[in-house]
């Protein structure tokens, strides 16, 4: 994996993905004690950066293989990113979701033209179901993060950060990235290595689900003790990916972790001062920038708001903090 | 007033105002029954388009006069736009606000470096107070809409709409604009007359406060019967301006008006599908596009979300609709 894969993805994404803005507010600067620049990926198509990776992977497929369709496992942002990219390519998308997934997410994914196949978490084997469907229909699996084409797609966000930070006069800073499996984090890190070497990526996670932070510290892949029970569900993954971890280990600074309350307070700050909607998992990087200033150095910090797909009731909790 | 004033304002604003994105979502298209493009001015500095007009007016002042400072009457978006533009120019700003203005708005305006001068609505004459301060300190009054430099600044939003609509392949459509005194509406109309003549501006207002709609229909300036009691307070003004009305009368199509409930529902739709924060007065154009489809013609409609400065409690009401 290197910058050429990301440049190729950027060429495929041109005119299809949005160039999301790098936002700021003097009120955020005051809270953080330094300049804060926010890459608003919640404004990407489907409300998260996942559209980049989905488009990158689907657009790179051989046309005959692509025409048969794609399949993904997800109840969240990856599902919507893949569904929207598939629809724009005029091909079928099958999304395998747990049968107890929130109705809004199922409806949202169906609304983007995908066929949603429910499975019972207790009694069915998700991977076997997916393999059977893929074989029967000739569908190509689009993995959520541990896939070079997906990493390259997410890396296009890093190309934009490099350009936009330079326009803002920032050439040295930590770039805090909301981190689940590491697709966005490793993609941005590769892009910045080539285009803005003074910008250093640092992953942000929820406290108690900081597998990437611990893995970076130990130098080997570490797992989370639990896989649910945090409001930042979109970025709770078992462990960093086999492809993403070596990239992060080579390029990233130390990880950061924040509490649920800090994530909610960052959502409210983004509402008040940037007028954007962040989901909890998409707010952990901003929360780190705002509420963990002593763990960051330098006059400026850049952070992603990586998604905004949040239930109104959860957002109302953030507003009431 | 013509396009040359707007072009001059755009040159002064370059590198200072944000080029806000033109957003869209297939889910909004489905609600509206046609393609919907949303100019997200809530993402402008200070959370509304008012920064454009404030910057335009302040940047055009003679440097010696400018150095003495500016003054404005406002408890809302104009106050913040003027305060931020003044601070960036390194000059004092005095904002005259009713003493019962919400604490958050006072704090927000002070946070942008302005001196807030409270007055008692019951016992003090606001205009006399402002004239006294202006004379004593040599401050220049920045009017909220009926001022060519302000109209020209708001018109820069129209230049961007013309370019972004063309990029999106839309050359004929109604452009629905949230309308108070008519500064944004007339500025956009002038810009589109010159740059995108197939795009026709139509003002949107709250029902019961539709002075511009009635004025356009009668051909003469009409007043609102009441001046408070609507959630869209930011765009409730007594009547269209003496400068803005002739421009709107010459260039605009029929006005639209929506209920408070429709404005709140549009705020929720912007939250769900665009991940942006709209205030009630900034959501009336989107509400018109979504919920009054029979009053609009054509395959596409463009609308402004003109501001996002909304109290969390009001936003929570929109989320609960």
């Amino acid at each position: 994996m290197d910058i050429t894969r990301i440049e190729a993805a950027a060429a495929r994404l041109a005119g299809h993905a949005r160039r999301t803005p790098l936002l700021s507010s003097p009120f955020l600067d005051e809270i953080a004690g330094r300049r804060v620049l926010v890459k608003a990926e919640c404004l990407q198509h489907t409300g998260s950066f996942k559209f980049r990776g989905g488009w990158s992977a689907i657009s790179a497929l051989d046309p005959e293989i692509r025409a048969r369709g794609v399949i993904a496992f997800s109840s969240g942002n990856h599902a919507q990113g893949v569904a929207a990219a598939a629809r724009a390519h005029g091909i079928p998308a099958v999304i395998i979701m747990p049968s107890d997934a929130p109705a809004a997410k199922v409806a949202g994914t169906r609304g983007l033209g995908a066929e949603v196949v429910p499975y019972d978490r207790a009694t069915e084997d998700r991977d076997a179901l997916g393999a059977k469907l893929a074989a029967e229909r000739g569908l190509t699996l689009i993995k959520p993060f541990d896939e070079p084409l997906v990493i390259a797609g997410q890396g296009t966000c890093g190309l934009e950060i490099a350009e936009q930070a330079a326009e803002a006069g920032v050439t040295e800073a930590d770039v805090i990235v909301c981190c689940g499996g590491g697709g966005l984090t490793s993609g941005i890190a590769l892009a910045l290595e080539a285009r803005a070497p003074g910008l250093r990526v640092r992953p942000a996670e929820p406290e108690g689900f900081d597998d990437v932070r611990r893995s970076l510290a130990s130098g080997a892949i570490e797992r989370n003790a639990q896989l649910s029970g945090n409001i930042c569900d979109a970025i709770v993954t078992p462990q960093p990916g086999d492809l993403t971890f070596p990239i992060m280990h080579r390029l990233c600074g130390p990880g950061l972790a924040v509490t649920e309350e800090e994530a909610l307070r960052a959502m409210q700050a983004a509402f008040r001062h940037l007028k954007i909607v962040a989901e909890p998992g998409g707010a952990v990087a901003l929360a780190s920038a705002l509420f963990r200033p002593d763990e960051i150095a330098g006059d400026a910090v850049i952070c992603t708001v990586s998604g905004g797909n949040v239930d109104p009731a959860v957002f109302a909790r953030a507003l009431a903090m």
Side-chain angles (χ1 to χ4, degrees), chain A:
Chain A
M1 280 297 299
D2 66 11
I3 187 71
T4 59
R5 302 286 296 257
I6 301 175
E7 288 167 346
R12 294 195 303 278
L13 281 152
H16 301 291
R18 287 198 187 114
R19 183 184 175 86
T20 55
L22 192 67
L23 301 174
S24 62
S25 159
F27 296 99
L28 295 183
D29 297 352
E30 189 169 325
I31 297 169
R34 57 172 59 85
R35 195 169 167 200
V36 180
L37 299 170
V38 176
K39 180 65 170 169
E41 275 297 288
C42 53
L43 302 177
Q44 189 52 264
H45 295 298
T46 72
S48 90
F49 72 94
K50 290 285 191 179
F51 178 82
R52 296 179 188 264
W55 185 283
S56 172
I58 290 172
S59 63
L61 292 175
D62 177 272
E64 283 186 28
I65 291 172
R66 180 168 63 216
R68 292 184 204 139
V70 294
I71 186 168
F73 303 99
S74 170
S75 61
N77 290 333
H78 181 58
Q80 295 181 59
V82 168
R87 180 160 78 168
H89 279 87
I91 63 164
V94 175
I95 310 293
I96 301 188
M97 282 193 181
S99 49
D100 57 354
K105 291 194 173 178
V106 175
T109 306
R110 286 205 173 113
L112 291 166
E115 176 187 348
V116 173
V117 175
Y119 77 98
D120 187 318
R121 291 189 212 237
T123 62
E124 287 185 277
D125 179 339
R126 189 186 79 158
D127 293 332
L129 176 63
K132 180 167 170 287
L133 282 170
E136 283 173 4
R137 305 196 200 173
L139 305 171
T140 301
L141 175 66
I142 309 293
K143 292 186 193 174
F145 54 84
D146 225 26
E147 155 59 48
L149 289 165
V150 171
I151 295 170
Q154 321 307 26
T156 62
C157 180
L159 298 181
E160 295 173 12
I161 290 173
E163 290 177 14
Q164 293 168 318
E167 286 165 16
V170 174
T171 53
E172 298 211 353
D174 280 356
V175 178
I176 308 177
V177 179
C178 306
C179 189
L184 182 64
T185 308
S186 61
I188 291 176
L190 286 168
L192 297 182
E193 177 191 26
R195 295 290 180 84
L199 303 181
R200 177 182 68 157
V201 169
R202 299 178 62 185
E205 295 168 294
E207 280 189 355
F209 301 86
D210 59 343
D211 52 303
V212 174
R213 178 167 71 163
R214 288 183 291 105
S215 300
L216 290 174
S218 75
I221 288 179
E222 308 279 347
R223 292 181 62 83
N224 283 320
Q226 46 194 15
L227 288 176
S228 63
N230 190 284
I231 198 172
C232 303
D233 57 339
I235 59 167
V236 169
T237 43
Q239 60 183 54
D242 293 333
L243 294 181
T244 59
F245 177 66
I247 299 169
M248 294 192 284
H249 189 234
R250 182 168 69 82
L251 296 174
C252 290
L256 296 146
V258 299
T259 65
E260 290 184 308
E261 185 189 320
E262 287 170 328
L264 288 166
R265 286 169 57 206
M267 289 165 65
Q268 187 187 98
F271 161 87
R272 281 187 186 277
H273 303 304
L274 300 176
K275 314 306 174 188
I276 58 173
V277 176
E279 62 187 81
V284 295
L286 177 59
S288 301
L290 295 180
F291 307 127
R292 301 299 173 101
D294 297 344
E295 299 179 40
I296 303 167
D299 297 334
V301 62
I302 300 170
C303 54
T304 62
V305 165
S306 54
N309 292 311
V310 51
D311 282 338
V314 174
F315 201 77
R317 272 181 64 191
L319 293 180
M321 296 291 287

